[in-house]
Amino acid sequence: MPGWATAVTVGFLRIFSQPNYLPFAMDWLTIALLLLFGLAFLVVEIIFIPGTTVVGLVGFGLLAVGLWFSYRDYGSTTGHMLLSVSAVFVGVLVYMGLRPRNLDKVALMQQNHGHVLDVRHADVAPGTVGRTLSALRPAGTALFADDRREVTTRGEFVDADSEVLVIGIEHNRIVVRQIA
């Protein structure tokens, strides 16, 4: 181990081995760890997994407990100082997390112009002629220029392999009648 590392280690051991210093160091260590983990949880919430809120609430809770300990154990001057430093760090984190460059990773920034076939707007127009593939009793399947469609009649029965005419579109159904 280099000489400076040995000197630092021996210095820490001398400080922490004094009986009156250990509770003081544990208080500072507790407060520092609470604040550090609180900020770490906020970093995770804002930058890595935004929107979960549980991690962010845990981070704010840890920060609040750490600040409360600092006010309780070391007075208002130290508490105000740690509150100010924590507020600056949280402000920087929120700014970093809400920059437009970071929002591109978690938010949809472009429109989707795709579409699907909507059965309420059938692609078979009234007046189209087709051939039944199954018997219509009163519903069944018909073929319109290589497109199979579910069709229905107004109550009439139509045999398979008969020609039918589309007379209308009602709600989501193609209504046909047999061509005589």
Side-chain angles (χ1 to χ4, degrees):
M1 193 179 321
W4 64 270
T6 305
V8 170
T9 305
V10 169
F12 276 124
L13 288 175
R14 282 187 187 161
I15 292 171
F16 285 115
S17 65
Q18 295 176 3
N20 295 342
Y21 190 78
L22 191 57
F24 179 76
M26 291 305 289
D27 289 340
W28 266 108
L29 185 61
T30 302
I31 292 170
L33 287 176
L34 284 169
L35 295 176
L36 181 71
F37 280 112
L39 289 173
F41 274 75
L42 287 177
V43 166
V44 169
E45 167 71 30
I46 292 173
I47 295 177
F48 297 113
I49 51 173
T52 59
T53 64
V54 173
V55 178
L57 289 176
V58 169
F60 274 119
L62 290 173
L63 279 175
V65 169
L67 290 171
W68 180 69
F69 280 162
S70 70
Y71 276 104
R72 185 191 71 177
D73 295 341
Y74 298 107
S76 63
T77 305
T78 305
H80 288 328
M81 184 180 64
L82 288 176
L83 177 63
S84 300
V85 170
S86 296
V88 167
F89 276 123
V90 169
V92 168
L93 285 175
V94 169
Y95 173 75
M96 296 294 286
L98 296 179
R99 288 188 309 185
R101 185 179 64 188
N102 292 341
L103 285 178
D104 289 343
K105 298 175 187 173
V106 296
L108 181 63
M109 302 304 270
Q110 56 189 339
Q111 285 184 329
N112 183 358
H113 295 288
H115 67 282
V116 296
L117 177 63
D118 190 357
V119 294
R120 293 173 296 184
H121 301 95
D123 57 344
V124 180
T128 305
V129 176
R131 181 163 299 281
T132 60
L133 296 176
S134 66
L136 306 181
R137 308 245 185 257
T141 307
L143 184 67
F144 298 98
D146 298 333
D147 292 327
R148 293 173 60 114
R149 298 287 182 259
E150 293 294 318
V151 297
T152 186
T153 65
R154 297 203 186 245
E156 309 89 29
F157 289 176
V158 178
D159 292 327
D161 202 34
S162 300
E163 283 195 347
V164 290
L165 174 71
V166 176
I167 57 174
I169 308 295
E170 295 178 359
H171 303 291
N172 61 348
R173 298 179 306 162
I174 301 172
V175 182
V176 297
R177 71 171 170 85
Q178 184 174 5
I179 299 177

